[in-house]
Amino acid sequence: MSTWSLRQRLTLLVFALITALWVASAAYLYVEARRESQELFDMSIAETADLLLHFSEHEFAEMGSAAYADHPLVRGDGHYLSFQLWDKTGTLKYRSGSAPSEPLAPLDQQGFSWRSTPEGDLRIYNLLHESGEFRILMAEPKQHRLEVISNFLTHLFWFSLFMLPTAFFAVRYVVFRAFAPVRHAVLQVDRIDSGCLQQVDAGGVPSEIQPLLQALNAALGRIAEGMDRERRFTADAAHELRTPLSGLRTNVQLLQRFQDQPLERADIIDDLLSGVDRCSHLITQLLELSRLDAQAETNGPAAAKPGTFLPLLRADFSELLNSKSINFHVEVDGELPSDFALQVQADALWILLRNLVHNAVLYTQPGGEVRVAFNALPGRRVRLSVADDGPGILPEHRDRVFERFYRAAPHASTGSGLGLSICAEIARRYHTHIRVSEGLHGRGVCFSVEFIQLQA
């Protein structure tokens, strides 16, 4: 699996952006500098020509002869400018050492112009004296201007050669410092194990990463809560199993003692069978909890038809119903189709139904009544309710009956204390909850839960 570094990629992207901006700025600066330099060069030529024109006029008045036309007024010692002074008759009066004897440009062409020569292009400036007696032609080689611009670009290149690596390391350092909170969070995550589920401190972490850390902290909270719940469950299960197992051991010891007393042995065997049944029921409930956990992980199809479970309920509890002469009946709302389905896994619905019915049948007095009902509600919802006319549950115990291994007085010695907890867990996984209310005929208790009805 290929991996990449966000820090390195960010460093390269920022540096590439800086480089691109620098190149664009340098190009713009070059164009603007070249345009501005051309204006400055022209302004320099114009000012020099004006100065030399007045200076040459003074010299001509003193010398008064054209014999000095070949005498350089400004010596050709490498100066890049050259000039010629002409009178109104077209006679060359003075010239610089680097200027030729022929006109640098047509005498009647005023202002700036370009002229090509074998030595290269020249920038010419033709200025007429205010008296009209003299004019000066000033020339500057284009090569001089190119050399100035080239020197500027050379200095810019060497400056950039120093600044770009500096900028790269500066960007790398800034990005490194910006990722310091992320590295701190990584160290915290690295220390997480089953014995240490400490929350990750998201302080100072970029806002783009905070949702990830918040989701991680939420997951750690759920894991810690689940582990605490399992630890409590394991401890409670061990405690609940210890009592019936101790009773089984005591009964076995009593059997050994009363080998010659059939009546006492029969009572002891009844107690022994009762203890075995209790252990078996407790283990069955524990296995149902384990099966629910497995279903939550596999996420099987959530579609169950309650009609298929109703005959099974009667068969499962027929012996207990007959022994207590309980009137057990099922009511289905006429608005519901005969094969209506609920958005819940079939195993989960069966476990919930069986536990609620078992709880009702267990606590209903002989000759009592237990009713299972399915009622249609608005919004394609169905309410499942199991009601009885037994002793009921006191209001102060109704909030705690769904805790694991909790038994509401005065019947605390009956059952495993897991049935209603399993039902509440099933309801929670389908984003609903179980309501506890008064049962049948103003007595007993009614447990109701709502599920979504699937479309046929």
Side-chain angles (χ1 to χ4, degrees):
M1 180 178 177
S2 60
T3 59
W4 54 276
S5 170
L6 177 61
R7 187 180 67 189
Q8 292 180 0
R9 180 170 293 187
L10 186 60
T11 300
L12 293 176
L13 288 176
V14 173
F15 178 70
L17 178 61
I18 291 176
T19 304
L21 291 176
W22 176 88
V23 171
S25 301
Y28 176 78
L29 182 63
Y30 170 75
V31 173
E32 286 297 309
R34 185 167 183 175
R35 183 181 63 82
E36 293 290 338
S37 65
Q38 296 298 330
E39 295 179 0
L40 291 175
F41 285 133
D42 287 347
M43 187 182 299
S44 176
I45 294 177
E47 291 177 353
T48 304
D50 184 67
L51 179 63
L52 286 176
L53 184 61
H54 289 82
F55 178 74
S56 299
E57 178 188 13
H58 175 71
E59 287 292 319
F60 179 74
E62 289 185 355
M63 303 298 293
S65 173
Y68 294 93
D70 290 333
H71 181 73
L73 189 64
V74 179
R75 298 188 179 275
D77 54 356
H79 198 278
Y80 64 91
L81 291 177
S82 59
F83 74 93
Q84 296 173 334
L85 185 67
W86 299 81
D87 63 11
K88 64 180 181 180
T89 63
T91 302
L92 178 63
K93 295 298 183 178
Y94 295 104
R95 67 180 177 84
S96 63
S98 58
S101 300
E102 297 78 17
L104 291 170
L107 296 179
D108 58 348
Q109 186 176 352
Q110 300 292 326
F112 289 98
S113 64
W114 286 100
R115 182 184 178 191
S116 297
T117 66
E119 291 78 15
D121 293 341
L122 296 176
R123 183 64 165 171
I124 308 297
Y125 181 62
N126 188 338
L127 177 62
L128 179 65
H129 191 267
E130 58 187 7
S131 64
E133 297 292 329
F134 305 98
R135 74 172 57 248
I136 187 170
L137 298 179
M138 182 72 68
E140 178 191 13
K142 182 179 181 181
Q143 183 63 31
H144 171 260
R145 298 189 175 192
L146 296 178
E147 289 176 358
V148 173
I149 296 175
S150 177
N151 288 336
F152 169 77
L153 291 178
T154 301
H155 285 86
L156 184 61
F157 171 77
W158 288 110
F159 176 77
S160 303
L161 196 63
F162 168 76
M163 289 303 298
L164 287 178
T166 304
F168 174 78
F169 287 108
V171 169
R172 185 173 182 179
Y173 175 76
V174 170
V175 172
F176 178 81
R177 294 289 299 173
F179 272 78
V182 178
R183 293 194 301 274
H184 179 64
V186 170
L187 292 177
Q188 295 182 74
V189 173
D190 190 55
R191 290 194 292 267
I192 294 175
D193 57 27
S194 59
C196 178
L197 294 176
Q198 184 177 0
Q199 299 279 299
V200 179
D201 182 15
V205 175
S207 58
E208 292 80 6
I209 301 179
Q210 283 189 355
L212 175 63
L213 294 182
Q214 291 170 358
L216 176 62
N217 285 334
L220 289 174
R222 292 192 296 270
I223 293 173
E225 181 181 351
M227 293 181 66
D228 289 342
R229 186 169 58 249
E230 293 303 322
R231 279 193 288 266
R232 291 194 303 270
F233 172 74
T234 302
D236 292 341
H239 174 74
E240 292 294 323
L241 284 172
R242 185 183 300 116
T243 300
L245 289 177
S246 298
L248 291 176
R249 179 182 179 85
T250 301
N251 287 327
V252 170
Q253 291 173 344
L254 290 175
L255 281 176
Q256 292 176 341
R257 181 180 305 176
F258 295 102
Q259 293 182 3
D260 298 330
Q261 301 179 25
L263 295 178
E264 287 78 359
R265 285 175 60 86
D267 293 338
I268 294 172
I269 290 175
D270 289 339
D271 291 340
L272 186 62
L273 291 176
S274 177
V276 170
D277 290 340
R278 183 178 176 185
C279 287
S280 176
H281 181 65
L282 179 59
I283 293 173
T284 299
Q285 301 283 50
L286 293 175
L287 290 176
E288 287 179 350
L289 278 175
S290 176
R291 193 195 318 176
L292 286 176
D293 291 336
Q295 288 178 347
E297 294 176 359
T298 55
N299 294 322
K305 294 182 177 181
T308 61
F309 299 133
L310 299 180
L312 298 177
L313 281 176
R314 293 182 181 276
D316 261 21
F317 297 104
S318 60
E319 183 177 351
L320 188 57
L321 290 171
N322 293 332
S323 65
K324 299 178 71 173
S325 300
I326 293 177
N327 178 20
F328 177 79
H329 58 100
V330 178
E331 298 179 0
V332 179
D333 196 325
E335 297 182 8
L336 294 173
S338 59
D339 59 344
F340 72 96
L342 303 180
Q343 188 174 318
V344 56
Q345 290 177 338
D347 287 346
L349 181 61
W350 167 245
I351 293 173
L352 183 141
L353 261 175
R354 192 182 64 195
N355 278 295
L356 290 179
V357 172
H358 178 267
N359 188 76
V361 173
L362 186 65
Y363 292 109
T364 298
Q365 301 297 323
E369 180 182 357
V370 174
R371 183 191 67 192
V372 177
F374 293 90
N375 299 101
L377 301 176
R380 298 196 62 83
R381 299 186 67 85
V382 174
R383 181 174 60 227
L384 161 64
S385 61
V386 177
D388 61 64
D389 61 352
I393 300 176
L394 297 176
E396 58 266 27
H397 293 288
R398 290 181 179 180
D399 291 336
R400 298 196 59 191
V401 293
F402 299 108
E403 298 178 10
R404 293 181 177 181
F405 301 109
Y406 180 81
R407 302 184 186 92
H411 305 282
S413 61
T414 309
S416 66
L418 282 175
L420 292 179
S421 174
I422 293 173
C423 295
E425 177 66 15
I426 293 173
R428 184 188 66 81
R429 289 180 179 176
Y430 291 95
H431 309 290
T432 184
H433 63 280
I434 300 177
R435 295 182 178 87
V436 184
S437 58
E438 196 174 68
L440 301 174
H441 315 303
R443 301 188 303 274
V445 65
C446 175
F447 294 96
S448 60
V449 59
E450 296 178 6
F451 290 105
I452 298 175
Q453 179 185 354
L454 296 177
Q455 295 183 356

